[in-house]
Amino acid sequence: MKDFDEQLVSIVVPVYNAQNFIRETIQCVQAQTYTQWELLLVDDCSSDNSCNVIEEMQHTDSRIKLIRQETNGGAARCRNKGVSCACGRYLCFLDADDIWGKQKLERELAFISGGKGFVFTGYEFADENGQGLGKIVHVPEQITYHEALKNTTIFTSTVMIDRTIIADTDIMMPCIESEDTATWWNILKKYGMGFGLDECLVRYRRSAGTLSSNKLQAIRRIWNLYRNHAKLSVGKSLYCMVFWAFRAVFRRI
């Protein structure tokens, strides 16, 4: 088994043309009350000023690390590269436009202790400026694979994984649409249970151009996950989609 720094949290951020958000995202990590972290920013061949912003902030904080991809390959490949470079026992993912509350790492580390391998928290929807909209998504205390098929409540920027329990090979994301959801399903199916900390510790920035803002694309993506990734029958896929659609709408109203 790979040797990990037992106290270190490795934070993996895929970056692609994120110059408008990346400084604030880095600053929210720097503001954490838990300070033993490394921030692995994996740039996917950005054509904007993202790397310059990161390099500027690197000069004053050695915990910030820029990793450059040689070719553009998408978020899954960026996250997988970050995981392969991570030194910490604990692994978190953070999207380049999302924002953590100051106690996110501290509260989640306290929660994951005691043998939990995969945990996640509640979150709040935010506007393009990162301002909370007052719509908070609550999460269940526990979730199984079959429950997760009907309730895609696990948000990537809220996840923390103990790599002494969940193997890196099971954390690596497939290069498909909604690769994060597919990965959570894989982990839950193999390891049996995920644990939810029902505290709002993350702001999920929703901008008009994001994939999740297009409802028809979201329906197509989840259907493809059911049929092609989870290998569910048409009937089982329709059954799960009814619950998924209800909860997806409920989270947003």
Side-chain angles (χ1 to χ4, degrees):
M1 179 179 288
K2 182 176 179 179
D3 291 329
F4 302 121
D5 184 326
E6 289 289 320
Q7 304 302 316
L8 187 68
V9 179
S10 297
I11 304 158
V12 176
V13 182
V15 177
Y16 181 69
N17 291 347
Q19 66 177 16
N20 293 335
F21 310 115
I22 195 62
R23 184 182 300 276
E24 184 178 8
T25 299
I26 293 172
Q27 288 172 338
C28 84
V29 176
Q30 291 178 309
Q32 291 297 301
T33 55
Y34 186 85
T35 59
Q36 292 180 256
W37 50 261
E38 62 174 353
L39 182 59
L40 306 170
L41 297 129
V42 186
D43 182 69
D44 202 24
C45 301
S46 294
S47 58
D48 67 357
N49 201 40
S50 295
C51 287
N52 291 336
V53 173
I54 295 168
E55 288 174 338
E56 173 195 330
M57 300 184 78
Q58 269 187 303
H59 291 317
T60 58
D61 195 334
S62 62
R63 298 171 297 178
I64 299 171
K65 302 173 183 179
L66 173 61
I67 301 168
R68 296 177 184 263
Q69 296 281 71
E70 294 184 359
T71 58
N72 179 273
R77 288 188 175 90
C78 285
R79 292 190 183 113
N80 293 344
K81 178 66 173 180
V83 171
S84 69
C85 296
C87 297
R89 171 178 174 174
Y90 301 100
L91 179 74
C92 290
F93 295 105
L94 175 59
D95 285 348
D97 56 350
D98 291 330
I99 303 168
W100 283 351
K102 291 182 179 181
Q103 290 189 311
K104 195 269 188 185
L105 292 182
E106 180 182 353
R107 295 291 301 134
E108 203 162 25
L109 277 168
F111 182 68
I112 202 172
S113 63
K116 301 183 187 75
F118 178 75
V119 304
F120 53 97
T121 78
Y123 60 94
E124 180 182 12
F125 287 109
D127 62 20
E128 292 189 11
N129 297 315
Q131 298 301 309
L133 298 173
K135 180 56 185 177
I136 295 173
V137 176
H138 295 279
V139 295
E141 292 183 1
Q142 298 180 353
I143 193 167
T144 65
Y145 167 68
H146 291 290
E147 290 167 342
L149 290 175
K150 299 183 293 182
N151 184 7
T152 56
T153 192
I154 302 171
F155 174 43
T156 304
S157 292
T158 75
V159 163
M160 179 179 281
I161 296 171
D162 185 339
R163 298 167 76 197
T164 67
I165 298 175
I166 309 294
D168 280 2
T169 51
D170 296 317
I171 301 170
M172 295 296 181
M173 296 190 177
C175 294
I176 59 176
E177 291 184 312
S178 296
E179 70 284 345
D180 44 359
T181 297
T183 302
W184 315 149
W185 288 357
N186 291 344
I187 290 173
L188 293 172
K189 189 173 185 179
K190 181 172 182 177
Y191 294 90
M193 188 75 68
F195 300 88
L197 174 61
D198 193 20
E199 296 181 15
C200 181
L201 299 173
V202 178
R203 273 178 280 156
Y204 170 25
R205 195 191 309 254
R206 299 174 68 209
S207 52
T210 59
L211 280 175
S212 57
S213 68
N214 188 310
K215 305 304 184 294
L216 291 178
Q217 287 187 13
I219 291 169
R220 177 180 56 80
R221 289 199 311 275
I222 193 68
W223 180 258
N224 286 337
L225 281 182
Y226 288 144
R227 297 288 289 134
N228 301 326
H229 182 76
K231 305 298 184 183
L232 302 184
S233 67
V234 171
K236 180 69 171 180
S237 298
L238 287 170
Y239 171 78
C240 290
M241 179 163 274
V242 169
F243 287 93
W244 168 83
F246 173 79
R247 287 171 170 142
V249 170
F250 181 76
R251 281 197 298 270
R252 289 163 171 79
I253 60 175

